[in-house]
Amino acid sequence: MTAHAAIPESRTSKVLKAIGILPFVLVLTCVLLALYEPRFLRVSNLINVLRNASFLTIISAGQMLVIIVGGFDISVGAIVALTSVSSALSMVGLSSMGIESAGVIVLLGCLMGLVPALAVGIANGFLVSVLKISPFMVTIGTMTIAVGIAGYVTGGTPIYDMPELFTREIGRGKFLRLPYIVYAAALVLALLWFMQNQTRLGRYFYAVGGNEKASRLTGLNTRKYIWLAYVLSALLAGIVGLFLTARVGSGEATLGSNLMLESISVAVIGGVALKGGVGRIQMVALSAIFLAVLSNGMSLARIDSKYHIIIIGLVIVFAVAAESFRESRRNKHV
Amino acid sequence: MSDQTQVSGHSLRAIGPHLLLPLAIVAVVAFFALLQPAMLSGDNIANIMKQSSLFFFVACAQLVVIITRGFDLSVGANVSLVSVASSMVMTAMIPVFGTGLGIVLGVGIGLLIGVGIGAMNGLLVAYGRINPFIVTLATMSIFTGVATTISGGFPIFNLPEAFSFAFNQMIILMLPIPLIIAGVVAYGLHFSLTKTVHGRVLYVLGDSNEVALVAGRRVKEHLFLAYVTSGVLASVAGLLMTAQTGSGEPNLGTSLVLNSIAAAVIGGASLRGGSGGILAPIYGALLIVCLSIGMNLQQINGSLQPVVIGAILIFGAALDALRTRER
């Protein structure tokens, strides 16, 4: 090794190693954006950013879990669409059956809406963990199937006439000026942080993704944890589907079509390693905020929405290239 | 395991894929022919031939990188961008340079875009050592964005008749031109995969990265070249499909990613890399095209057709997983 490696690390590089460059990039983006466009700092705009970041955090949390156990979930966007259609249809059906109480309709409708999501998650988990099929193929297959079914059931037209309680209260309701989805995201963040840092379950997820064979040989039921990761991912996507449906006010088969790409971007930018075994929920949440700020900035700057996917694509390439660069340097030092 | 079972298992596996897929294709055609006699009409069979030839190129594009244990999610975006860009060049250049040169320029630009996208993927995968899934997912979103941006999201009309004739309608010795081009490409690809060092390195690469490195081959260059080949094959598909539709379409390739992977995998290319020959995209393309044409004839709801393809994809991948486990 060169002489440089022997010199003790400076304080800044230690800090950088611990939290990465993402927080600095985020702060820099916010400052530049605020200087360029003061409207960014308006409370209504910031709440808007926070809302979008919350949707992204929840769905990317699921993506993170699946990537940690060494997989991918391409079907998350399709699960959002399927949940939207099934919950809307259930609510419309329940109210036409003559149930008076809106509360009962909404509760049952949401639960029934999550059933297909759960089914997709269970199928993904079974095919990946038991039949050992490549997660990429499995989830791209279930994605197509789910989107097809959602499109077939709705016939391409949105489903309206859901109870006001759902569309107004859950979709637009606020507590202490913040939309409910923000609290939901905070709850997911807290629960997953607790799981990853304080529980055996969290450690098992890392172990299975880090080295599946070794984990199995030490007596871990690897199948179970891989399966669980897919089910949790589908469930979180389903919850996002419910909130998004309430927000747009109709059941739509095209809802969430960008979320697959975005959730994978968020996970990757948040430092979740594609080889499995690495990833922290707090970094994923930070990365979700970063992506939400970036999209908001592009909208404020009146950049055509067609450019957004180009820029997101470039950001992914940059983030992954940086990660792989860091990795190769680390390997050299060992 | 006794010797006997090994031998019989081996021979079954050896002829299995060669027999199973043609049988499956015949079964699909027969099934739809029973429901709709029009399936076997001369026009329809010519149509199947033509569509399979177009689709063959994207399946090949996928095969070349699947052999190295990779993926190319950007084939669809590649097709869309080539369609839009070459159409724009043709419509702009023809008034200046005349029809002939205009078409040549358009086709040249299309192929160059294929090289460019392939080179970008290859650079990031081979030299940047980034997961091919993420690389091609990113380039997919970038180039889909570019295709919709430069076209404004609208189709580009007024392509010269001669372009559609030369790359789609022309018939030589009773064979439609896309089929002839597909045949030439199939032969070339087969040759380079089986008879050249490049081809052998790709298979070894798919089997094990280390082995290829130990064998002293310049692994990165070969891997890079595989992605470039994939990009060029996809751009050929883009040009031929544009000649078929007669206009530059910004969303021409949207459904191709799923279908191309399905075709390559169902045709027998293993996702674990290191296997699959030229027969995989041929059988795969024929099977998928026969299915979708059959479903169209039967007027099966457009939303349900992808459901069938998705189910076949999972089935093909499950067979693949089973084969790998046996090995």
Side-chain angles (χ1 to χ4, degrees):
Chain A
M1 276 293 98
T2 54
H4 293 281
I7 297 167
E9 284 177 288
S10 68
R11 201 177 205 170
T12 38
S13 77
K14 255 184 203 161
V15 172
L16 267 179
K17 199 164 259 178
I19 56 174
I21 55 165
L22 185 61
F24 303 104
V25 176
L26 177 62
V27 170
L28 190 69
T29 316
C30 289
V31 171
L32 287 178
L33 205 55
L35 288 176
Y36 173 77
E37 182 58 85
R39 275 182 301 159
F40 173 72
L41 290 177
R42 277 189 199 164
V43 174
S44 61
N45 187 57
L46 289 177
I47 289 179
N48 193 20
V49 170
L50 206 55
R51 178 191 293 119
N52 292 335
S54 303
F55 282 121
L56 275 178
T57 301
I58 299 179
I59 202 152
S60 311
Q63 189 69 256
M64 173 197 73
L65 287 175
V66 174
I67 298 181
I68 285 178
V69 298
F72 272 127
D73 195 347
I74 297 185
S75 64
V76 285
I79 292 174
V80 167
L82 197 60
T83 308
S84 174
V85 170
S86 64
S87 61
L89 278 178
S90 312
M91 283 181 215
V92 172
L94 286 168
S95 50
S96 73
M97 274 160 59
I99 296 175
E100 295 288 326
S101 155
V104 174
I105 293 179
V106 170
L107 188 68
L108 282 177
C110 286
L111 287 177
M112 284 160 80
L114 288 177
V115 170
L118 213 54
V120 175
I122 291 173
N124 282 341
F126 173 76
L127 293 166
V128 171
S129 70
V130 178
L131 296 188
K132 308 268 182 237
I133 310 176
S134 139
F136 172 77
M137 298 306 269
V138 167
T139 53
I140 205 173
T142 51
M143 170 192 86
T144 335
I145 294 175
V147 168
I149 291 175
Y152 176 67
V153 171
T154 55
T157 49
I159 300 155
Y160 292 105
D161 299 327
M162 283 180 289
E164 282 252 307
L165 176 71
F166 184 61
T167 53
R168 208 173 54 201
E169 272 307 306
I170 295 179
R172 309 196 172 268
K174 286 180 177 169
F175 177 71
L176 296 177
R177 299 188 72 181
L178 291 177
Y180 292 139
I181 181 78
V182 177
Y183 296 99
L187 186 68
V188 168
L189 177 65
L191 283 176
L192 283 182
W193 185 87
F194 181 75
M195 185 201 84
Q196 289 192 321
N197 289 288
Q198 304 290 326
T199 67
R200 229 183 262 170
L201 179 65
R203 251 179 298 149
Y204 289 163
F205 276 132
Y206 288 124
V208 169
N211 190 337
E212 191 184 341
K213 203 166 177 188
S215 320
R216 194 169 51 241
L217 291 177
T218 55
L220 216 57
N221 187 351
T222 53
R223 227 178 240 183
K224 186 169 99 185
Y225 296 104
I226 294 176
W227 200 334
L228 188 62
Y230 283 92
V231 173
L232 285 176
S233 170
L235 207 58
L236 289 170
I239 290 168
V240 168
L242 291 179
F243 274 105
L244 269 181
T245 309
R247 176 100 191 125
V248 291
S250 56
E252 312 213 9
T254 52
L255 214 58
S257 51
N258 284 332
L259 284 174
M260 182 269 283
L261 181 69
E262 287 177 358
S263 67
I264 294 179
S265 324
V266 166
V268 168
I269 296 169
V272 183
L274 293 168
K275 60 180 174 9
V278 180
R280 296 277 169 198
I281 182 66
Q282 61 271 31
M283 294 309 288
V284 169
L286 209 59
S287 155
I289 295 173
F290 172 65
L291 212 63
V293 168
L294 200 65
S295 315
N296 183 256
M298 288 191 279
S299 307
L300 286 179
R302 298 225 181 76
I303 295 177
D304 194 324
S305 66
K306 286 192 286 270
Y307 288 103
H308 288 196
I309 55 169
I310 303 182
I311 291 169
I312 289 179
L314 288 173
V315 171
I316 303 179
V317 171
F318 181 76
V320 184
E323 161 74 29
S324 119
F325 178 69
R326 233 180 334 179
E327 185 104 325
S328 68
R329 277 189 37 174
R330 205 174 300 150
N331 289 344
K332 263 182 210 153
H333 283 274
V334 169
Chain B
M1 214 195 282
S2 75
D3 276 350
Q4 228 176 348
T5 52
Q6 233 169 356
V7 168
S8 73
H10 182 77
S11 63
L12 236 178
R13 229 172 298 150
I15 43 169
H18 295 287
L19 211 65
L20 204 67
L21 281 160
L23 276 179
I25 295 165
V26 170
V28 166
V29 173
F31 174 72
F32 284 110
L34 282 177
L35 296 168
Q36 299 280 342
M39 185 77 184
L40 289 177
S41 71
D43 279 352
N44 196 50
I45 288 182
N47 189 22
I48 289 177
M49 284 309 175
K50 219 177 205 177
Q51 299 296 337
S52 320
S53 320
L54 297 182
F55 189 51
F56 167 76
F57 292 96
V58 265
C60 276
Q62 207 63 254
L63 172 78
V64 178
V65 289
I66 286 182
I67 288 176
T68 68
R69 214 187 288 192
F71 276 122
D72 194 346
L73 299 181
S74 67
V75 285
N78 191 332
V79 166
S80 302
L81 182 58
V82 166
S83 175
V84 170
S86 60
S87 303
M88 287 172 77
V89 169
M90 267 185 252
T91 46
M93 290 302 163
I94 280 172
V96 188
F97 296 111
T99 315
L101 195 55
I103 291 177
V104 171
L105 282 174
V107 171
I109 289 290
L111 294 174
L112 265 183
I113 289 173
V115 173
I117 295 180
M120 183 168 171
N121 286 334
L123 215 60
L124 291 166
V125 171
Y127 295 96
R129 293 202 188 181
I130 308 176
N131 184 313
F133 173 82
I134 291 294
V135 168
T136 55
L137 188 74
T139 51
M140 171 183 91
S141 84
I142 293 172
F143 293 112
T144 306
V146 174
T148 44
T149 309
I150 61 172
S151 66
F154 300 107
I156 291 145
F157 294 110
N158 299 326
L159 292 189
E161 292 275 317
F163 174 65
S164 289
F165 179 77
F167 289 99
N168 190 39
Q169 284 141 13
M170 191 159 52
I171 288 172
I172 302 172
L173 299 173
M174 311 222 349
L175 295 171
I177 188 80
L179 188 62
I180 295 174
I181 303 178
V184 173
V185 168
Y187 180 76
L189 197 60
H190 181 62
F191 181 81
S192 85
L193 284 179
T194 54
K195 297 286 194 315
T196 65
V197 173
H198 173 60
R200 297 320 300 168
V201 172
L202 291 189
Y203 283 105
V204 176
L205 206 62
D207 265 342
S208 161
N209 231 323
E210 283 82 27
V211 173
L213 265 177
V214 170
R217 289 292 161 196
R218 292 180 183 157
V219 176
K220 288 181 181 171
E221 282 162 33
H222 288 284
L223 189 56
F224 174 76
L225 206 57
Y227 279 89
V228 174
T229 311
S230 169
V232 172
L233 286 168
S235 69
V236 172
L239 289 168
L240 293 175
M241 287 178 180
T242 308
Q244 160 109 350
T245 51
S247 54
E249 304 278 342
N251 49 13
L252 190 62
T254 313
S255 65
L256 285 177
V257 180
L258 173 77
N259 288 3
S260 65
I261 298 176
V265 171
I266 198 82
S270 172
L271 291 168
R272 268 90 180 162
S275 73
I278 195 69
L279 283 175
I282 295 178
Y283 288 151
L286 271 172
L287 186 69
I288 300 249
V289 166
C290 287
L291 257 175
S292 68
I293 286 182
M295 288 194 284
N296 279 338
L297 279 178
Q298 190 61 27
Q299 294 180 342
I300 290 176
N301 186 301
S303 304
L304 284 182
Q305 295 196 10
V307 176
V308 176
I309 306 283
I312 288 180
L313 181 70
I314 294 180
F315 180 71
L319 280 184
D320 174 41
L322 213 65
R323 276 198 300 259
T324 331
R325 206 182 300 178
E326 275 175 29
R327 227 195 301 165

